[in-house]
C-alpha cells in the first residue's frame, strides 16, 4: 500500500464517529438530517471526487476515465453507507437529488483545470468547490435528473 494516509484518515474518522457521535450530536443538537451534515457530506464529496481524479491521472488513464475515477471514489462510500443502513441507495434512485452528477462536475472541473495547466492548489480548490456548490444547490433546490414518464397504453 503506497498511500497509507487514506486508510489512517478513514479509520480515525470511523473510530471517532463510532465512539463520539451520540455525545457530540446531543451536545450540538445534530440530527442525521441536519444541515451541517449535508454541508459535511458535500465537502467530502468534493474532496473525494478530486482525490479520485488525481489517482486517475497518476494511473495514466485518459481524462474521461479520470473523471469516472473521481465519481466512483466520491460516491462509493455513500453507496456502502446506504446499504449498511438499509436505505435506498441514493445514486441509484431518481427520487433523490443529484449526487453522482455533482461529483462528475467537480472531477471534470479538476481535469479541465489540469488541462489548462493551473497549479495543483487552484485545481484542487476549483474541483472541490464546484462539486460542493453543485451538491448544496442540488440539496437546496431539490435538483434531480429527469425521469422518463411511462408511455400511455
Amino acid at each position: 500500500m503506497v498511500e497509507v494516509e487514506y486508510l489512517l484518515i478513514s479509520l480515525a474518522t470511523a473510530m471517532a464517529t463510532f465512539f463520539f457521535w451520540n455525545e457530540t450530536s446531543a451536545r450540538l443538537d445534530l440530527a442525521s438530517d441536519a444541515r451541517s451534515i449535508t454541508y459535511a457530506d458535500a465537502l467530502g464529496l468534493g474532496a473525494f471526487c478530486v482525490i479520485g481524479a488525481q489517482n486517475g491521472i497518476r494511473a495514466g488513464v485518459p481524462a474521461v476515465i479520470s473523471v469516472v475515477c473521481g465519481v466512483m471514489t466520491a460516491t462509493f462510500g455513500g453507496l456502502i453507507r446506504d446499504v449498511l443502513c438499509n436505505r435506498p441507495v441514493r445514486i441509484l434512485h431518481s427520487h433523490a437529488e443529484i449526487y453522482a452528477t455533482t461529483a462528475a462536475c467537480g472531477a471534470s472541473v479538476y481535469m479541465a483545470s489540469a488541462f489548462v495547466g493551473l497549479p495543483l492548489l487552484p485545481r484542487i480548490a476549483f474541483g472541490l468547490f464546484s462539486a460542493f456548490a453543485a451538491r448544496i444547490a442540488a440539496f437546496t433546490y431539490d435538483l434531480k435528473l429527469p425521469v422518463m414518464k411511462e408511455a400511455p397504453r
Side-chain angles (χ1 to χ4, degrees):
M1 180 177 283
V2 176
E3 297 168 340
V4 75
E5 64 270 10
Y6 295 131
L7 178 62
L8 295 175
I9 290 169
S10 297
L11 287 174
T13 303
M15 297 293 282
T17 303
F18 182 79
F19 288 112
F20 300 114
W21 172 253
N22 287 338
E23 181 181 326
T24 304
S25 63
R27 182 177 294 164
L28 298 176
D29 195 31
L30 293 177
S32 61
D33 60 348
R35 193 154 187 82
S36 58
I37 301 295
T38 301
Y39 279 90
D41 179 64
L43 186 62
L45 182 85
F48 283 109
C49 76
V50 167
I51 289 169
Q54 287 175 327
N55 286 330
I57 290 172
R58 278 191 214 115
V61 299
V64 172
I65 303 302
S66 291
V67 170
V68 171
C69 289
V71 172
M72 290 178 67
T73 302
T75 58
F76 197 71
L79 183 140
I80 296 297
R81 175 206 58 220
D82 291 342
V83 168
L84 290 176
C85 293
N86 199 25
R87 298 191 306 195
V89 179
R90 178 181 295 173
I91 63 171
L92 300 178
H93 295 281
S94 57
H95 69 272
E97 66 278 346
I98 57 175
Y99 194 78
T101 309
T102 61
C105 173
S108 297
V109 168
Y110 178 84
M111 293 303 296
S113 300
F115 180 75
V116 298
L118 289 179
L120 182 62
L121 288 180
R123 286 193 315 235
I124 292 171
F126 290 152
L128 193 149
F129 179 76
S130 62
F132 176 82
R135 180 70 187 122
I136 294 303
F139 180 77
T140 303
Y141 300 109
D142 197 31
L143 301 176
K144 297 176 179 157
L145 291 175
V147 215
M148 188 171 82
K149 304 235 187 251
E150 211 173 295
R153 296 179 184 219

